[in-house]
Amino acid sequence: GRAQDGGAQRCREEPLMSGNGAVWGRVRSRLRAFPERLAACGAEAAAYGRCVQASTAPGGRLTKDLCAREFEALRSCFAAAAKKSPRGG
C-alpha cells in the first residue's frame, strides 16, 4: 500500500495565524461593526420578508425562486456591507 503520513505531517505544522494578535484584532473589529452595517439593508430584508410571508400565508404557495429577486437584492446588500472596512470605507 501507499504511505499515508502526508496528512499527519501537515497536522504537526504550526497553526495558521498563531500568535498574530493584530489579525484577530481586525477580525473582532469587523465583527463588532457588522450588525450596524447590516442595518443598512433593512429595506431589502423587509422586501424579502414580505415576499416570503405572502407566499406562506393561507392560500399562498412558497416555491423555489419565487422571491429570488428580493433575495438577490438582500444578498447583494449583505455582501456590500461585509466588504466595508472598519474605518467606514
Side-chain angles (χ1 to χ4, degrees), residues 29-55:
S29 176
R30 288 189 76 176
L31 288 174
R32 278 194 295 272
F34 202 63
E36 293 174 16
R37 294 188 193 136
L38 292 184
C41 299
E44 292 85 351
Y48 179 63
R50 282 191 301 271
C51 181
V52 171
Q53 182 182 25
S55 63

Side-chain angles (χ1 to χ4, degrees), residues 4-5 8-9 13 15 17 19-20 29 34-36 45 48 50 54-55 57-58 61 67 80 82-83 86 89:
Q4 301 212 359
D5 61 344
Q9 192 172 16
E13 293 175 5
M17 293 193 296
N20 196 341
S29 176
F34 202 63
E36 293 174 16
Y48 179 63
R50 282 191 301 271
S55 63
R61 184 177 172 114
C67 300
K83 289 180 183 178

Side-chain angles (χ1 to χ4, degrees), residues 9-89:
Q9 192 172 16
R10 273 184 250 123
C11 291
R12 287 189 293 256
E13 293 175 5
E14 189 172 319
L16 194 62
M17 293 193 296
S18 72
N20 196 341
V23 170
W24 289 114
R26 286 193 305 271
V27 168
R28 280 192 297 274
S29 176
R30 288 189 76 176
L31 288 174
R32 278 194 295 272
F34 202 63
E36 293 174 16
R37 294 188 193 136
L38 292 184
C41 299
E44 292 85 351
Y48 179 63
R50 282 191 301 271
C51 181
V52 171
Q53 182 182 25
S55 63
T56 57
R61 184 177 172 114
L62 183 61
T63 58
K64 184 178 188 297
D65 296 331
L66 182 66
C67 300
R69 186 178 64 220
E70 293 85 352
F71 177 79
E72 183 57 32
L74 180 58
R75 190 200 64 75
S76 294
C77 185
F78 281 174
K83 289 180 183 178
K84 290 182 180 177
S85 75
R87 293 177 197 91

